[in-house]
Amino acid sequence: MRPGKIVCFGRNYAEHAKELGNEIPPFPLVFLKPSSSLINSGDEIIHPDFGEELHHEVELVLLIGKDIKNVSLEEAEDAIIGYAVGLDMTLRDVQDKLKSKGAPWTLAKCFDTSAVVSEFRMKKDYKLSLNETIELKVNGNIRQSAKLSLMLHKPAHLVQGIAEKMKIEKGDLLFTGTPAGVGRVKRGDILEASIENIGEITVKVV
Ligand code: ZN
């Protein structure tokens, strides 16, 4: 399955916005990743050679099941049909340079293998409580660990908010932002991402 687009939200957890020295916006920042950046658990993250600070961002991913535009909160919730754990891999040094120039983040966020997703847990089989723990380990050491309830904007709000600005289509993936604890990974590192009751990812950086 190849999604039409991958919509990513930034600064949706207060502690993460703080650790990067960013203000918390009224609605999360929005950027896109191309579907060509997508890989699955068991694949390898290819460290780009045009950046040094490759960072992990573990995120809840929403799978959209129908085409929507300008919908109620209830319709937005209904449009979410599944969940996965994802990694929004980011070249932080490249992003910082682009940010300082006011330029788009594209090269920091859209490189090949920069979007990792687990298998999907379908909503009909599991009701998300937001009490689930989201976690990321590097070489067995916990780097990020939080409850999904720390999200400032909950899944249905994100879907409703973005669907006011652009059409959201069946098959689109939404990355909902990362909790605190982002950090650098190097070639050879093993990343294990998980969301309790949702899914798991194991990938190696090469
Ligand atoms: Zn992210």
Side-chain angles (χ1 to χ4, degrees):
M1 189 201 66
R2 189 152 168 148
K5 60 183 169 300
I6 304 168
V7 181
C8 301
F9 296 98
R11 304 181 196 166
N12 195 25
Y13 289 80
E15 290 300 312
H16 170 63
K18 211 192 284 179
E19 75 182 344
L20 294 185
N22 291 317
E23 301 272 301
I24 297 164
F27 189 74
L29 298 186
V30 179
F31 58 94
L32 298 176
K33 281 179 187 269
S35 51
S36 56
S37 66
L38 205 54
I39 61 169
N40 297 114
S41 182
D43 295 338
E44 291 177 331
I45 294 171
I46 301 166
H47 194 312
D49 56 11
F50 57 90
E52 292 302 319
E53 299 273 332
L54 179 61
H55 275 207
H56 53 77
E57 295 188 359
V58 66
E59 313 201 358
L60 169 70
V61 179
L62 312 177
L63 173 62
I64 300 299
K66 62 175 158 188
D67 295 2
I68 52 168
K69 180 81 196 279
N70 293 324
V71 289
S72 67
L73 198 57
E74 197 181 9
E75 289 169 309
E77 180 61 54
D78 281 349
I80 304 167
I81 57 160
Y83 306 100
V85 61
L87 287 170
D88 163 19
M89 299 305 295
T90 304
L91 282 171
R92 196 72 67 201
D93 53 340
V94 174
Q95 184 190 32
D96 287 345
K97 263 181 230 155
L98 293 167
K99 253 191 203 170
S100 70
K101 292 182 200 157
W105 298 356
T106 307
L107 293 176
K109 290 283 193 180
C110 299
F111 52 90
D112 303 341
T113 75
S114 66
V116 192
V117 285
S118 69
E119 298 278 313
F120 286 90
R121 186 84 198 259
M122 302 310 281
K123 201 203 239 172
K124 64 179 169 55
D125 301 323
Y126 181 73
K127 189 177 168 5
L128 195 72
S129 69
L130 298 181
N131 283 320
E132 295 84 358
T133 298
I134 181 168
E135 204 163 80
L136 187 277
K137 292 181 190 170
V138 180
N139 302 326
N141 302 311
I142 296 177
R143 293 273 195 91
Q144 294 184 270
S145 183
K147 292 285 183 189
L148 291 177
S149 55
L150 288 175
M151 295 172 79
L152 298 170
H153 299 266
K154 309 303 188 237
H157 287 94
L158 293 172
V159 173
Q160 186 194 29
I162 191 62
E164 284 175 1
K165 305 285 197 306
M166 66 174 86
K167 192 194 297 174
I168 297 297
E169 297 174 301
K170 183 178 180 176
D172 285 352
L173 300 181
L174 274 61
F175 278 60
T176 59
T178 195
V182 300
R184 188 176 180 182
V185 293
K186 295 183 175 161
R187 291 178 181 87
D189 286 347
I190 305 287
L191 279 64
E192 294 168 273
S194 63
I195 298 175
E196 208 180 338
N197 302 324
I198 297 294
E200 291 174 355
I201 290 170
T202 304
V203 279
K204 185 179 182 182
V205 182
V206 298

